[in-house]
Amino acid sequence: MRRRRFTHLAAAGLAGAAVPSLVSCGAEAASAEVTLTLVAADYGDLEGGNGSQEYWDGVVRAFEAQHEGIRVDVTVHSWDRVAGRVQDLVKKGRSPDLAQIDSYAGYAADDLLYRAQEVLTLTELAAFQPFLAAAGEVRRTQYGLPFLASTRMLLFNRALFTRAGLDPQAPPRTWAEVREAAAALRDAGVNVPYGLPLGPEEAHAEAMTWMVTNGGGFTGPSGGYTLDAEANVETLVWLRDELVGRGLTTANPATTDRQNLFDLFTRGQVGMLNGTPSLMRDAARKKIDYGVARLPGPDGPSRATLGGTDWLMAFRHNGHREEISTFLGFVYRLENHYALAERYNLLPVTTAAADRMRSDKAHRELWEFLDGLPEAEFFPVAKAGWSRTSQEARKAVGAAVAPGGRPERVLQTLQRSAEAGDQPRNG
């Protein structure tokens, strides 16, 4: 955990490239000094000075310089800890004013959150890409504010492909070709032929990425959970037998986190993996010769991919609605939000920022990720029990694909738990 508090520091003191061109439409003052608390997840990468604490520090400095009477206290945690930290604070009656995590619906179901329309103007609400705004709704009322988005594509190391006798311009198009390429990479001495992060950091995301390429997923057309669907079982069985069982991944994917594999990819030690836009940025900085392709499916390149959106939510507990509204309006201004997406090489959530990125040739590599976003499959974040379900999936899926693992049993257990957690709450 890292924590820092800023009080009325000059906007000119922004550190490094934290938030270029931060703007505001004028100073606003609260009637009395208020300190907002924000708990956020860390998007930090390999380069020093680019973590989320540094990002929020810059935002707060610029904001406080123009909004006398409102202070913002930001605490940043790693992704595998941040949701638990917010849960602990809520249980202790110390809810933050704002949280930036991956699930909001449970708090909305408990009537702990402001509605989006209570903390953003109609103009600000209309700025979100519609399909992302809709994903923030519970029973047709928006509570979750999209923060950043991403999709997944296959990233592969061209130099390692060449070493293994593979065509560096022809990435795998099918699951069978993934297995064959990974075997060639292993035989050529590549440390990690295929990166399969099924550790607690993001096992649910990696599993769902594979599932959607096989026509599966966590929910079906009706919105109900389908974790134990035949297509999902088939997917995990294939991973267990054809990748993990053949020694084509790390020794134990169940203990391998995404960031660890991303770091190894940028060091030239991973042949291929399902990657995000931010990984391209890190690989380019390390001068890795990489390629990007659509996700392989059982019979050819998949049109489906995983879409990810992180969420900002505003808690009612402290009663700081006006100050929260002022701060959120600042965060989501076009220049500020675009600077955030640029900093982490992720996809903006507002239409204007997405249009700006699409028109900027410097971000050409992100255009295909942007193209996939409207049709991507997203986590069922509007379900009240999703936070618990995702935590359970993070812990269980890795063991399911270990040698001797039982994918069907693991998914059936997750299905029963998810259905129980999705029952209407009393009161």
Side-chain angles (χ1 to χ4, degrees):
M1 180 186 76
R2 291 181 290 170
R3 176 175 180 145
R4 190 175 304 159
R5 177 170 171 177
F6 289 86
T7 56
H8 307 295
L9 298 178
L14 285 173
V19 189
S21 304
L22 281 168
V23 296
S24 172
C25 66
E28 302 175 41
S31 58
E33 185 174 276
V34 168
T35 298
L36 300 178
T37 55
L38 166 63
V39 178
D42 196 353
Y43 289 96
D45 58 34
L46 291 175
E47 301 297 321
N50 200 32
S52 288
Q53 187 70 63
E54 288 76 17
Y55 162 75
W56 285 113
D57 291 352
V59 171
V60 169
R61 281 199 292 265
F63 175 80
E64 290 183 348
Q66 301 180 43
H67 297 81
E68 185 177 357
I70 306 177
R71 301 180 180 183
V72 186
D73 190 342
V74 181
T75 306
V76 173
H77 296 267
S78 62
W79 274 108
D80 59 352
R81 295 186 57 201
V82 66
R85 179 56 178 160
V86 174
Q87 290 173 2
D88 289 344
L89 289 171
V90 171
K91 288 179 181 178
K92 293 174 181 177
R94 296 165 49 205
S95 299
D97 293 290
L98 292 158
Q100 180 256 303
I101 51 179
D102 63 358
S103 180
Y104 62 84
Y107 299 118
D110 289 338
D111 198 28
L112 299 177
L113 302 180
Y114 285 113
R115 299 188 303 275
Q117 67 188 45
E118 294 180 283
V119 292
L120 289 179
T121 67
L122 291 178
T123 299
E124 289 163 347
L125 287 170
F128 291 125
Q129 297 188 72
F131 59 92
L132 295 178
E137 294 179 355
V138 175
R139 296 184 295 276
R140 299 186 180 181
T141 298
Q142 185 178 353
Y143 293 93
L145 310 178
F147 186 64
L148 282 174
S150 69
T151 55
R152 303 297 169 97
M153 298 187 72
L154 181 74
L155 270 67
F156 60 100
N157 185 310
R158 295 186 193 276
L160 295 182
F161 267 50
T162 298
R163 186 207 298 181
L166 301 167
D167 185 347
Q169 305 301 324
R173 297 166 52 88
T174 67
W175 285 6
E177 290 177 5
V178 168
R179 180 191 61 217
E180 292 163 6
L185 290 162
R186 177 198 58 196
D187 294 345
V190 174
N191 186 25
V192 182
Y194 188 91
L196 189 66
L198 294 176
E201 180 186 1
E202 215 186 33
H204 64 311
E206 181 69 14
M208 185 168 164
T209 301
W210 280 89
M211 289 172 179
V212 300
T213 68
N214 194 33
F218 286 2
T219 55
S222 67
Y225 279 110
T226 57
L227 287 157
D228 60 349
E230 182 178 351
N232 295 340
V233 174
E234 181 182 80
T235 299
L236 295 189
V237 168
W238 191 89
L239 291 174
R240 180 195 65 189
D241 296 345
E242 303 301 324
L243 288 187
V244 179
R246 293 173 181 263
L248 303 178
T249 65
T250 56
N252 186 1
T255 61
T256 303
D257 284 336
R258 180 188 70 167
Q259 190 58 53
N260 293 336
L261 282 177
F262 279 17
D263 292 350
L264 289 174
F265 187 84
T266 63
R267 297 172 192 158
Q269 299 178 33
V270 177
M272 51 186 166
L273 78 175
N274 294 329
T276 62
S278 59
L279 178 57
M280 295 194 306
R281 169 206 59 200
D282 296 346
R285 285 177 178 169
K286 295 294 184 179
K287 303 188 185 307
I288 298 297
D289 182 12
Y290 66 89
V292 182
R294 283 168 53 185
L295 299 177
D299 303 310
S302 172
R303 296 190 63 83
T305 186
L306 174 68
T309 307
D310 304 319
W311 303 94
L312 268 173
M313 62 210 70
F315 285 87
R316 300 157 51 107
H317 178 77
N318 299 316
H320 295 153
R321 186 183 67 82
E322 290 186 8
E323 293 81 8
I324 290 170
S325 179
T326 300
F327 183 64
L328 289 175
F330 183 82
V331 168
Y332 280 109
R333 294 196 185 282
L334 174 58
E335 296 297 331
N336 300 347
H337 181 58
Y338 191 72
L340 167 68
E342 276 198 313
R343 178 186 177 112
Y344 294 111
N345 215 49
L346 290 170
L347 308 182
V349 299
T350 66
T351 300
D355 289 345
R356 177 178 289 191
M357 181 169 283
R358 191 178 298 280
S359 66
D360 186 348
K361 292 183 179 180
H363 297 298
R364 185 185 298 275
E365 281 195 317
L366 291 176
W367 293 353
E368 194 163 1
F369 286 88
L370 281 168
D371 290 343
L373 191 58
E375 303 299 327
E377 299 286 338
F378 289 86
F379 293 127
V381 293
K383 290 183 172 294
W386 168 244
S387 181
R388 187 183 74 175
T389 298
S390 67
Q391 292 296 324
E392 291 177 350
R394 291 171 196 254
K395 298 175 183 177
V397 170
V401 303
R406 302 287 296 275
E408 185 173 16
R409 178 176 298 178
V410 168
L411 292 177
Q412 288 173 345
T413 299
L414 287 173
Q415 177 74 17
R416 289 193 296 268
S417 178
E419 290 174 346
D422 200 39
Q423 296 302 309
R425 303 190 181 206
N426 295 326

